Amino acid sequence: MKHQNLPTQLSELTAHQALDLFRRRELSPIELARDCLARIDDVNPSINAFVHVAHDEAMRAALKSETRWMNGSPCGPLDGVPTTIKDLTLTRDMPTRYGSATSDAEAPNATDAPVAGHLRSAGAVFLGKTASPEFGWKGVTDNPLHGVTRNPWDLSLTPGGSSGGAGVAAALNLGMLHQGSDAGGSIRIPCSFTGTFGLKPTFGWIPQWPSSAMSTLSHLGPMTRTAADSALMLASMTQPDARDGFLGNPQCPDWSTPPPRSLEGWRIAYSPTLGYVDVADDIRRRVDEAVMQLAILGAEIIEIDPGFSCPLDTFNTLWFAGATQVVEKLAKNQLNEMDPGFLDIAERGSKISLARYLEAGRERTALTAHMQAFHQQWDLLVTPTLPLSPFAAGFNVPPDGAYQDWMEWTPFSYPFNLTQQPAASLPCGLDDTGLPVGLQLIGAKFEDMKVMHAAMLLEARLPRLSPPLLR
């Protein structure tokens, strides 16, 4: 295959464009994989987004893909598309270290987690594993094993987390499709900080095995440069697997359904603060401007809060208890190798009583019911994704002392892990210092397509963001 008159540079291709070029025999999966791997080798020493790069495996998979395309028989809807997997997800023939020195460095996995297996069966070419904090415990990406992951918009800043490696890879198009996970905002936070798109789907539509330590807070999802590429990825990710003990509703929508021409008839609630969050002025302005575009698309926009109080204590009760479970399985001599912040929340979790844990579950159920009633009147809820801009890398919270824990600066994300609703972050412009700002779209449970369709229509009216390292 020879690429002629490509619509864009290889480093700027979307997954849809790449597949179209494969189909027309104007681009080879080998060429594309080689280009991605070369760019990873070039920039990863600066950004630390990849903790394992699968050079040989990727090129072997790309060669097989090229043969299938030349024969006119691609094996699936993602055949040949360069893809990455988060370091928390079991992946056959690749190490899965969980960002932790307590993991086994010598044993590649013999088994794919369901999401990795589904993407592999669809023909995705795995480039490697992306960075996560230790066991995905916080909203930034650094860990004792692999060090600090950096934001391609400014290498002194964090890309967020816990799917920070995937966010950076998506921003730089180091592969077109990137798997993330989100138990408190871990897809949406790095998407906001890196200017990319990501969706936390309704819980249960993407199977999880082994189950997360954070149990039913944790969702798997796509991270890409465009909403359309995430929809393409979702069609393969949302396949049931009997190993998942928490399978929700396996009857997923048709992710390829095109969006409507407008949002005429939609009622969208806009809550810039949820009623209790302090938001930076420049972020508020960018989100306000993007919401105006939803109105131009035909939606009725009403500024209204969803009517719940801050559920931080509920979330922390469940989150800290999950961390305690991880630590209790480890030998005492391993604890010295771990992130002190993770050990701190595990210690706090050990002091939670069973009665308080069960009460938090009831509080969660009440919030879920409240939001389901709210969405009887509103098609979507819109908020900023984050109230602040990216801050210094290597810190769990901004170093100005305004916050103590990472959950305090992510108030827009974790409530919707408690409710298991679909929530997406898409870039809506730059703050006053030239850094990305994210807008969050939240739908009723099982109404993921409303989120995706609104994102696609809005995305087309907003500028595409490109970090300096990609220019």
Side-chain angles (χ1 to χ4, degrees):
M1 297 183 187
K2 296 294 183 182
H3 52 80
Q4 301 174 0
N5 302 317
L6 288 180
T8 184
Q9 296 296 318
L10 293 184
S11 62
E12 297 176 356
L13 284 178
T14 67
H16 277 88
Q17 289 172 327
L19 288 164
D20 186 52
L21 291 169
F22 295 162
R23 195 172 296 112
R24 302 195 325 244
R25 300 187 181 183
E26 294 179 13
L27 177 66
S28 163
I30 293 176
E31 293 175 277
L32 187 55
R34 186 180 292 125
D35 174 81
C36 289
L37 291 167
R39 289 188 290 112
I40 291 168
D41 290 343
D42 182 45
V43 303
N44 200 54
S46 298
I47 56 174
N48 197 31
F50 284 78
V51 298
H52 174 75
V53 183
H55 292 90
D56 294 341
E57 298 94 329
M59 292 310 299
R60 284 195 296 268
L63 175 61
K64 292 177 181 178
S65 176
E66 180 184 75
T67 300
R68 291 191 293 267
W69 280 108
M70 292 297 290
N71 292 333
S73 56
C75 71
L78 305 180
D79 203 350
V81 179
T83 300
T84 72
I85 304 294
K86 188 176 178 179
D87 192 35
L88 302 185
T89 300
L90 289 180
T91 312
R92 194 180 74 224
D93 298 328
M94 294 187 197
T96 300
R97 301 298 306 274
Y98 307 97
S100 181
T102 66
S103 60
D104 187 349
E106 302 301 324
N109 297 299
T111 304
D112 277 327
V115 69
H118 293 329
L119 291 169
R120 192 191 299 274
S121 295
V125 171
F126 290 166
L127 300 177
K129 305 295 283 288
T130 55
S132 166
E134 190 164 34
F135 297 105
W137 82 270
K138 58 185 176 180
V140 296
T141 300
D142 60 69
N143 63 63
L145 182 62
H146 298 117
V148 177
T149 300
R150 298 183 178 276
N151 195 317
W153 288 85
D154 181 334
L155 296 180
S156 70
L157 304 178
T158 180
S162 66
S163 306
V168 173
L172 295 175
N173 221 26
L174 302 174
M176 288 85 205
L177 306 177
H178 309 275
Q179 177 257 319
S181 61
D182 187 318
S186 292
I187 287 172
R188 292 158 290 158
I189 296 165
C191 283
S192 183
F193 275 0
T194 62
T196 53
F197 178 86
L199 174 74
K200 175 187 75 70
T202 293
F203 180 84
W205 273 355
I206 297 179
Q208 296 192 60
W209 177 87
S211 61
S212 167
M214 303 310 173
S215 188
T216 57
L217 292 172
S218 179
H219 304 225
L220 305 181
M223 300 172 69
T224 59
R225 294 184 75 205
T226 69
D229 274 2
S230 278
L232 179 69
M233 197 175 180
L234 283 161
S236 297
M237 297 173 81
T238 52
Q239 307 294 323
D241 189 290
R243 292 172 291 180
D244 180 6
F246 296 111
L247 189 64
N249 182 356
Q251 300 302 315
C252 294
D254 179 356
W255 300 101
S256 66
T257 304
R261 294 184 178 222
S262 75
L263 298 179
E264 194 73 35
W266 288 41
R267 301 186 75 233
I268 295 178
Y270 174 37
S271 178
T273 69
L274 291 181
Y276 54 82
V277 180
D278 291 328
V279 179
D281 290 342
D282 52 349
I283 289 177
R284 171 70 187 268
R285 287 195 300 271
R286 294 294 86 75
V287 178
D288 284 348
E289 291 162 2
V291 168
M292 289 178 62
Q293 295 299 318
L294 290 171
I296 293 171
L297 283 163
E300 177 188 3
I301 310 292
I302 303 294
E303 188 170 318
I304 184 173
D305 297 325
F308 58 79
S309 58
C310 177
L312 181 58
D313 186 59
T314 303
F315 177 79
N316 281 349
T317 298
L318 302 173
W319 190 262
F320 295 167
T324 302
Q325 291 184 64
V326 174
V327 171
E328 287 179 343
K329 295 176 182 178
L330 300 174
K332 288 186 178 180
N333 64 346
Q334 293 179 296
L335 303 186
N336 292 333
E337 303 176 281
M338 297 186 70
D339 186 328
F342 185 76
L343 294 177
D344 175 65
I345 67 166
E347 173 65 19
R348 286 191 263 176
S350 69
K351 298 174 182 177
I352 295 170
S353 69
L354 177 59
R356 173 62 195 130
Y357 184 82
L358 293 175
E359 182 182 25
R362 290 191 292 272
E363 292 164 357
R364 179 184 189 181
T365 299
L367 179 60
T368 301
H370 175 87
M371 286 307 300
Q372 193 61 26
F374 178 83
H375 281 288
Q376 295 298 311
Q377 299 182 59
W378 305 99
D379 292 283
L380 296 175
L381 170 64
V382 178
T383 74
T385 304
L386 291 168
L388 76 178
S389 299
F391 52 87
F395 292 86
N396 293 346
V397 298
D400 62 9
Y403 303 96
Q404 297 301 310
D405 289 320
W406 72 265
M407 309 84 168
E408 296 173 17
W409 58 264
T410 62
F412 291 109
S413 58
Y414 65 78
F416 306 105
N417 292 85
L418 290 169
T419 61
Q420 303 183 332
Q421 296 172 244
S425 179
L426 71 155
C428 65
L430 301 176
D431 69 12
D432 288 353
T433 66
L435 296 171
V437 174
L439 173 148
Q440 182 174 220
L441 295 166
I442 304 133
K445 207 169 181 181
F446 308 120
E447 293 290 350
D448 301 52
M449 287 310 301
K450 286 187 176 180
V451 173
M452 292 297 291
H453 284 165
M456 290 176 187
L457 292 176
L458 182 56
E459 180 182 78
R461 304 185 69 89
L462 298 173
R464 172 77 69 85
L465 301 187
S466 180
L469 284 182
L470 191 58
R471 296 172 196 161

